[in-house]
Amino acid sequence: MSEHLKGEGAAGAVDCGKDPIQSLVQMFVEMVQKGRIAKGQCPARRPVFLKPHGVVKGTFKIREDLPQDLKVGLFAGTEYPAWVRFSSDTLPTISDWKTTLGIGIKLFDTPTPKIFGQPEETTFDFILQNMDVFFVNTATDMCEFTKAGVVDGDYGPYLKAHPETAKLLDEMAKPAASVLASPYWSGLPFAFGPERFVKYKLEPALTLDPPADQPADPTYLAADLEARMKAGEQRFTFCVQFRTDPKTMPLDEATVRWPEAESPYIP
């Protein structure tokens, strides 16, 4: 995970205990991205989910029978144009096999104003991956994990001291037959109107068993995506899971799965 960041740039002002958020900016932006730009990369390589499988155009459609209490924000609309990027969190030169899959959905012509950033921005992004939890809980945890690779050059000591993170990273290394047949989750909770919180999930219409052995083609996911999109339309169902119990569904513990038995996902 994120080993491609190792050794780029100087350590700079990285102090996870004092200011984890600014330290993450220092590592991802100042050390990695600006370092790549300085080396002449154009466009500069991304810091995470570097390996693209393909980008597709689609439509994000809101259910016509959506209950009134779910018509919040984007979901009060009818449909939005979308561009969708499928990728893996690994280097382009590494095989797709057992990589963490990511999906980025950019919607256009969305309602304004926004609650942060540029108020009149008319786009909106959903970012999900094929794992229902994140591998660390807090910004401090993420900072210390990133520092182990970017600054110290060795994730080993951190993972040895944090077995739960090591376990979750192992769980993320799972085979997939197609980026179109994988479910994706937000991992983190988001506000859904006043005093309501949800997690997101994409459920694929396509069902395929994962391959038992590593495919010979190291870019088999891109080839599969291209072939299936040429053959016809593909669909996902966008779902939300409401937070119904603060004790079992914490907002600040990203490694904790919200029980579906207590709150099933709603399309």
Side-chain angles (χ1 to χ4, degrees):
M1 187 68 177
S2 299
E3 286 186 294
H4 44 271
L5 300 179
K6 186 183 298 183
E8 295 193 25
V14 175
D15 188 336
C16 296
K18 183 178 180 181
D19 192 341
I21 294 176
Q22 185 55 44
S23 293
L24 285 166
V25 172
Q26 177 71 17
M27 287 184 283
F28 280 101
V29 178
E30 300 295 329
M31 294 172 60
V32 177
Q33 290 299 90
K34 286 190 177 179
R36 290 171 176 170
I37 293 171
K39 293 176 182 178
Q41 290 185 12
C42 185
R45 180 181 288 169
R46 298 162 56 96
V48 294
F49 288 91
L50 289 82
K51 187 172 186 178
H53 304 306
V55 178
V56 302
K57 187 178 182 180
T59 305
F60 190 91
K61 297 183 178 182
I62 311 300
R63 288 180 55 170
E64 294 182 0
D65 61 347
L66 196 66
Q68 192 64 36
D69 71 311
L70 299 186
K71 293 182 179 181
V72 174
L74 290 169
F75 304 102
T78 55
E79 65 179 45
Y80 306 98
W83 282 96
V84 182
R85 179 183 188 266
F86 295 93
S87 61
S88 282
D89 193 19
T90 192
L91 286 167
T93 54
I94 294 177
S95 172
D96 299 339
W97 177 247
K98 291 188 176 183
T99 56
T100 301
L101 305 183
I103 184 170
I105 305 170
K106 180 173 283 291
L107 306 182
F108 295 82
D109 303 329
T110 61
T112 57
K114 300 294 191 290
I115 61 173
F116 64 89
Q118 298 178 6
E120 299 308 315
E121 172 59 52
T122 58
T123 65
F124 190 89
D125 298 273
F126 290 110
I127 300 175
L128 306 95
Q129 61 183 26
N130 67 332
M131 182 71 174
D132 58 348
V133 294
F134 202 53
F135 58 88
V136 292
N137 278 323
T138 68
T140 299
D141 296 333
M142 184 63 183
C143 182
E144 292 175 348
F145 172 81
T146 306
K147 179 178 178 293
V150 177
V151 178
D152 303 333
D154 184 3
Y155 289 103
Y158 180 90
L159 294 176
K160 186 176 181 179
H162 298 82
E164 179 63 20
T165 292
K167 178 176 178 292
L168 290 172
L169 289 174
D170 286 342
E171 287 184 38
M172 292 167 70
K174 53 189 176 184
S178 171
V179 297
L180 297 169
S182 176
Y184 298 87
W185 293 265
S186 65
L188 305 176
F190 292 86
F192 194 92
E195 301 303 318
R196 291 201 294 176
F197 303 93
V198 297
K199 289 188 177 183
Y200 305 137
K201 182 183 181 183
L202 277 179
E203 295 181 345
L206 180 65
T207 302
L208 295 170
D209 291 329
D213 300 304
Q214 181 172 345
D217 180 3
T219 60
Y220 76 95
L221 290 175
D224 174 89
L225 175 61
E226 182 179 6
R228 293 185 188 279
M229 292 310 302
K230 285 181 176 179
E233 181 181 87
Q234 298 292 329
R235 287 176 175 260
F236 286 86
T237 300
F238 190 95
C239 305
V240 296
Q241 180 190 30
F242 278 93
R243 184 185 191 230
T244 57
D245 186 346
K247 293 181 180 179
T248 58
M249 303 177 181
L251 296 178
D252 56 356
E253 295 180 70
T255 62
V256 176
R257 291 180 171 90
W258 288 7
E260 290 190 49
E262 296 181 24
S263 180
Y265 280 93
I266 301 171

